[in-house]
Amino acid sequence: MSVRDVVAIGDPVLRRRARELSLQGIASPQIQRLIDDLIDTKRAVHGAGLAANQLGEALRVAVVEVEEGNPRYPYKPPVPLTVMINPTIEPLGDEMVEINESCLSVADLRGNLQRHLAIRVRYLDRLGRERDELKRGLTAGTFQHEVDHLDGILFVDRADPRTFATWEQFDRHQREEFVRRVAELES
Ligand code: NI
């Protein structure tokens, strides 16, 4: 088990387009170790997801997982551990939804941005098997956030800067309305 430091905004690795992995690359001990480190680090800091750029490696690997009762995001619906390699996202329909996001690479900041309400995500799992899944609501937002990382995009690029808030100020002024609004997405 290896919990690694998460790279902070300002490091150029977060702005690089991560490169695709071959099946041979996926099977290599180095990449399998990177995947384990992504999972261990994500769990240690209670993230909803983590991309390889955030561990300083510009490779197209990201993990998503929301445990029941995640202390950082108690309002997010649970998502089983998903390891995605070379993921691609296709929006399903035109409908957008405003989501409040944050990022482990951007300390103490939250902001509102538009995400596709429903998406199709295709990727390879850690055994190199093809996966094809549909996601919706906050979960779709989380997948879009992680795939953005692999393209060198951070949530602050897409957010309305006028909605930026620290976690404390979000809790005080925005949280109640946001949680009420997103609860309707899941039903
Ligand atoms: Ni992030």
Side-chain angles (χ1 to χ4, degrees), residues 54 102-104 145-146 149:
Q54 294 178 281
S102 61
C103 180
L104 294 167
H145 179 115
E146 297 312 324
H149 272 299

Side-chain angles (χ1 to χ4, degrees), residues 31-110:
I31 296 303
Q32 291 296 315
R33 198 174 315 126
L34 171 63
I35 292 167
D36 289 335
D37 290 354
L38 283 165
I39 296 168
D40 291 342
T41 305
K42 187 212 74 72
R43 287 177 175 167
V45 294
H46 303 298
L50 192 64
N53 303 54
Q54 294 178 281
L55 294 185
E57 305 197 36
L59 300 167
R60 298 188 87 73
V61 186
V63 300
V64 171
E65 178 189 44
V66 179
E67 301 103 320
E68 193 84 51
N70 178 302
R72 198 173 149 88
Y73 306 106
Y75 52 81
K76 285 198 183 201
V79 181
L81 176 64
T82 304
V83 175
M84 337 182 245
I85 299 157
N86 303 343
T88 59
I89 282 178
E90 176 194 332
L92 297 176
D94 296 331
E95 200 172 347
M96 306 294 286
V97 59
E98 188 176 55
I99 292 181
N100 182 276
E101 291 192 8
S102 61
C103 180
L104 294 167
S105 293
V106 184
D108 201 18
L109 191 71
R110 307 189 55 135

Side-chain angles (χ1 to χ4, degrees), residues 2-21:
S2 202
V3 175
R4 290 163 58 174
D5 288 337
V6 176
V7 167
I9 185 169
D11 189 314
V13 72
L14 293 175
R15 295 308 192 173
R16 282 174 59 194
R17 186 188 180 278
R19 74 170 168 82
E20 273 81 9
L21 290 172

